[in-house]
Amino acid sequence: MSEFIIYPAIDMRGGKCVRLIQGDYAKETVYGDSPFEMAKVFAEKGAEWIHMVDLDGAKAGRRVNDNHVIEVARKLDVKVQIGGGIRSEEDVDYYLSNGVSRVILGSSAISNPEFVKKMLSKYGEKIAIGIDAKDGFVSTEGWVETSTVKATELGVELAAAGAETFIFTDIATDGMLSGPNVDAACKMAKATGKEVIASGGVSSLNDLVILAAFTANGVAGAIVGKALYTNQFDLSEALEEVERA
């Protein structure tokens, strides 16, 4: 059985650490002025990975908060995965050549599938596919738009193109502390036959234990954001709980 990994999330907007509710830029809470200092806290508590999102980049379609990402990747003993505003091979190469372990391609999977397939062919497991879904359909451009493409169908297509890791977000649960959509994450893992990292809705240690119970089914980890920032539980506590599960 593969290891279940907790990915503490750092969403960046205007150089600060923020959380949005259901991807709504108008529903923002600022939790810190320094992404690096936040990442340092997570690293000290035992994080193996840090999940970073450039929200400004996702909206603008270009890298905006990349300097914060590189600082974390270079200075801390953690692996970093980054998504948001990555639209070109130059963007992918920039991050990977500066210490980032994994680059997440999301909206471009819909807008530029040939580019995504080329990146999968060239960089392999260093590329993760971010699939954000609303009612089973893929949302794009920072969740501003919903496509007519079914999330599982996109997953199957990109798995065939070489994707090994999917980050699946159920927008309905993101930032709501309402519990993760376990069923949807399992369906994506089953459809693709690949590892799926669940994102959205984790509110308690029990949510993590439930997700970790499906590691053998392909649910390889969970991204946790708001629950950590609002002190629903401590990261070191969560890591211990999942290890025991």
Side-chain angles (χ1 to χ4, degrees):
M1 184 185 293
S2 58
E3 179 190 4
F4 184 87
I5 297 171
I6 295 174
Y7 296 77
I10 297 177
D11 291 5
M12 300 167 291
R13 191 176 184 208
K16 298 180 186 297
C17 303
V18 306
R19 297 302 295 171
L20 307 182
I21 293 177
Q22 296 179 320
D24 188 340
Y25 284 70
K27 296 175 181 175
E28 174 191 275
T29 303
V30 177
Y31 286 106
D33 293 329
S34 169
F36 177 78
E37 290 302 321
M38 190 67 74
K40 188 178 178 183
V41 169
F42 290 146
E44 288 170 350
K45 288 180 182 291
E48 182 183 340
W49 281 83
I50 304 285
H51 172 81
M52 303 185 78
V53 180
D54 183 352
L55 290 172
D56 294 310
K59 204 167 188 179
R62 58 181 174 81
R63 301 192 313 261
V64 177
N65 290 288
D66 47 302
N67 56 318
H68 299 293
V69 180
I70 300 306
E71 184 182 18
V72 172
R74 284 182 165 174
K75 294 183 179 179
L76 297 177
D77 186 23
V78 291
K79 296 174 185 175
V80 173
Q81 63 182 23
I82 173 65
I86 301 164
R87 298 288 189 273
S88 68
E89 185 170 349
E90 180 193 0
D91 291 333
V92 174
D93 184 67
Y94 167 80
Y95 279 125
L96 293 178
S97 62
N98 278 289
V100 170
S101 296
R102 195 151 62 200
V103 169
I104 305 162
L105 299 179
S107 296
S108 52
I110 293 292
S111 62
N112 194 355
E114 292 312 308
F115 159 68
V116 173
K117 290 173 182 177
K118 182 183 176 186
M119 293 303 94
L120 285 168
S121 175
K122 184 171 183 177
Y123 296 105
E125 62 186 21
K126 291 182 178 179
I127 302 293
I129 303 299
I131 297 184
D132 305 330
K134 188 173 185 180
D135 301 323
F137 291 90
V138 178
S139 287
T140 61
E141 308 306 330
W143 298 355
V144 175
E145 299 174 14
T146 301
S147 73
T148 56
V149 179
K150 280 192 174 181
T152 50
E153 289 176 1
L154 178 63
V156 169
E157 180 183 343
L158 293 176
E164 293 295 333
T165 305
F166 291 89
I167 296 168
F168 179 78
T169 306
D170 176 19
I171 295 175
T173 65
D174 189 72
M176 299 298 287
L177 296 176
S178 57
N181 191 332
V182 181
D183 185 53
C186 287
K187 280 181 179 175
M188 180 62 71
K190 184 176 181 181
T192 60
K194 304 298 181 180
E195 293 194 340
V196 171
I197 300 167
S199 176
V202 170
S203 62
S204 67
L205 292 175
N206 191 52
D207 287 338
L208 290 171
V209 170
I210 290 170
L211 283 167
F214 291 94
T215 308
N217 299 71
V219 180
I223 292 166
V224 186
K226 192 172 183 180
L228 294 174
Y229 292 104
T230 56
N231 300 311
Q232 304 296 315
F233 53 81
D234 184 79
L235 177 60
S236 53
E237 185 184 12
L239 290 167
E240 288 173 14
E241 190 75 21
V242 165
E243 198 171 327
R244 281 199 301 266

